[in-house]
Amino acid sequence: MEHQVIDAFRKQFAEDPTHIAFAPGRVNLIGGHTDYNEGFVLPAAIDRGMWLAFRPRTDRVMRLYSVNFDREIHLSLDYLTQGRGWQEYPKGVAWALEEHGYRLRGIDAAVVGNVPRGAGLSSSAALEMAFARAFAAASDIEWQIVPMAQAAQQAENEWVGLNCGIMDQLASAAGRRDYALLIDCRTLDLEPVPLPPHTAIAVLDTGTRRSLTDSAYNNRRAACEAAAARCGVHTLRDLTPEQLEARRGILSDELYRRARHVVTENERVLRAAEAARSSDAERFGALINASHASLRDDYEVSSAALNAMAGCAVGHDACYGARLTGAGFGGCCVALIDSRRASSFASAVQMCYTNQTTLESQVILCLPSDGATLKDLHGV
Ligand code: GLA
């Protein structure tokens, strides 16, 4: 990928790039829709992402070339206006950094990625964090993981219009090879958690897609805020399952079920991290399965395709647990599997899924990877 993006840069701009920024996608093992409730999540950065070859400019112009879309776009940092398309992510990050008081230099950049889009693996956070790294390097801004992830989240919330939490940007920025990250989305404390021995992460792409700016995601977030307000707490993070039960009478059935998912999911994440630390893959897997059931029945963000995929996965005896990952409504499931039987698992699940749905699927084995990096190409 690095060679490809360097070649693309040279062809497009007839110059050499000075740096490569890389940021990974992420897969969330457990902790669905808890991040914007200031709860807990357990994602891992993956070995797929966005590579950006770039060269700082002396003016405030951005020339951005996407290899995947084969499109070049010219912008001025002095006249950023909202529009549509992949360029909204770099524009939004530039806007957010300037809102934070930084003054950016323009860049020429070529970008290429291998995170499937709309699949729940956060191609958008990868794009945002790769650009954040590039802007920081081009404009002599110190790279700090949390503030940079927050700026990218602000870009997505206020520029792109999706009210996402902090998980994706933080996982892409802070990932650590061979570890998942337990993130407390209130304090933003991060703890690397090793996966149980002989386990692997399989991402199971249903081939179905949702559009994240769909109002359904923002609606779920609004429902959580309404439930917290009725219960008299700042966020649903502040309620235990017992405290929620005691308030059941003041909530509509829908708000109660949305809240029940969040408060029970927070507990599952903490127990899953504990299971991982004690190398208990069976227990970890059971919690992943319970997460899927809660997302399907209480939070109602699953789909027939995701349910079929999760069912096929858990039906195979190399699988410890499987659940929908990302926002839901389409995209991927994630499964924790016995790494020694990965290939028989992959072919059996694909066959099972096609038999049930007539759809084609893809199985991607993911390695927990490092977060966003920067490489200086001077002298290469
Ligand atoms: C999307 C959002 C995240 C998170 C997940 C659901 O990926 O970008 O912030 O809310 O959905 O867990």
Side-chain angles (χ1 to χ4, degrees):
M1 288 302 219
E2 285 197 4
H3 290 297
Q4 194 187 346
V5 79
I6 291 174
D7 285 350
F9 184 99
R10 286 191 180 128
K11 253 198 218 124
Q12 204 64 22
F13 302 115
E15 267 191 304
D16 286 334
T18 57
H19 296 81
I20 290 193
F22 166 75
R26 63 96 191 94
V27 61
N28 189 20
L29 294 168
I30 191 163
H33 293 269
T34 47
D35 61 348
Y36 51 81
N37 292 295
E38 298 189 343
F40 299 97
V41 290
L42 191 63
I46 59 175
D47 50 337
R48 286 178 176 241
M50 297 284 173
W51 286 258
L52 195 76
F54 67 95
R55 187 179 182 97
R57 298 172 57 97
T58 49
D59 57 14
R60 299 252 299 157
V61 169
M62 296 204 285
R63 293 193 296 174
L64 311 177
Y65 173 68
S66 159
V67 175
N68 299 83
F69 294 109
D70 191 19
R71 255 196 90 193
E72 185 179 321
I73 284 162
H74 288 204
L75 301 160
S76 162
L77 286 163
D78 293 318
Y79 305 100
L80 290 179
T81 53
Q82 278 153 297
R84 282 183 155 274
W86 67 273
Q87 68 272 21
E88 296 313 303
Y89 296 100
K91 278 160 68 181
V93 171
W95 165 80
L97 289 172
E98 296 221 320
E99 286 283 295
H100 284 246
Y102 297 114
R103 173 124 181 122
L104 301 186
R105 272 183 216 124
I107 57 171
D108 290 336
V111 59
V112 67
N114 62 1
V115 186
R117 270 178 302 130
L121 299 179
S122 227
S123 55
S124 56
L127 192 55
E128 289 156 8
M129 296 320 298
F131 270 98
R133 274 233 86 146
F135 289 139
S139 304
D140 300 319
I141 301 167
E142 189 194 348
W143 179 254
Q144 290 172 286
I145 285 174
V146 171
M148 290 295 160
Q150 284 171 322
Q153 182 199 10
Q154 187 187 354
E156 187 130 354
N157 291 170
E158 294 175 35
W159 190 272
V160 179
L162 180 77
N163 260 329
C164 66
I166 188 76
M167 166 173 67
D168 304 346
Q169 291 78 13
L170 206 48
S172 176
R176 182 153 151 202
R177 196 177 158 175
D178 298 332
Y179 288 85
L181 292 177
L182 175 62
I183 305 177
D184 179 333
C185 297
R186 169 166 281 169
T187 61
L188 303 186
D189 284 342
L190 301 164
E191 182 196 328
V193 175
L195 291 182
H198 305 300
T199 58
I201 301 171
V203 168
L204 317 172
D205 191 340
T206 61
T208 62
R209 291 290 180 263
R210 46 89 194 123
S211 155
L212 250 197
T213 24
D214 268 349
S215 50
Y217 181 92
N218 290 346
N219 285 345
R220 290 299 182 284
R221 183 169 181 157
C224 290
E225 284 162 8
R230 280 204 70 84
C231 292
V233 291
H234 179 53
T235 65
L236 292 177
R237 156 71 176 270
D238 298 309
L239 288 178
T240 62
E242 296 70 34
Q243 288 167 333
L244 177 64
E245 281 314 309
R247 290 164 175 76
R248 184 170 186 163
I250 57 168
L251 295 172
S252 66
D253 179 58
E254 184 184 320
L255 286 192
Y256 167 71
R257 285 185 298 112
R258 303 293 187 251
R260 182 167 63 181
H261 164 70
V262 174
V263 299
T264 58
E265 185 79 348
N266 278 332
E267 294 213 329
R268 282 188 288 272
V269 175
L270 295 176
R271 284 200 250 136
E274 195 43 55
R277 284 185 213 103
S278 49
S279 303
D280 190 342
E282 299 278 350
R283 175 132 194 74
F284 195 158
L287 291 158
I288 292 176
N289 291 338
S291 170
H292 184 78
S294 180
L295 287 161
R296 181 190 62 208
D297 301 335
D298 275 352
Y299 216 61
E300 296 183 281
V301 292
S302 194
S303 67
L306 287 164
N307 293 338
M309 185 63 95
C312 286
V314 296
H316 192 281
D317 59 11
C319 182
Y320 295 107
R323 62 182 280 275
L324 71 89
T325 191
F329 309 106
C332 293
C333 286
V334 60
L336 185 72
I337 63 169
D338 181 337
S339 56
R340 294 159 294 194
R341 299 169 59 209
S343 61
S344 82
F345 171 81
S347 47
V349 166
Q350 284 179 295
M351 198 183 297
C352 168
Y353 180 74
T354 302
N355 282 342
Q356 286 193 16
T357 62
T358 70
L359 297 170
E360 292 297 314
S361 63
Q362 222 199 325
V363 175
I364 307 169
L365 293 174
C366 291
L367 296 173
S369 299
D370 283 330
T373 53
L374 178 76
K375 195 188 232 180
D376 192 334
L377 296 173
H378 288 107
V380 171

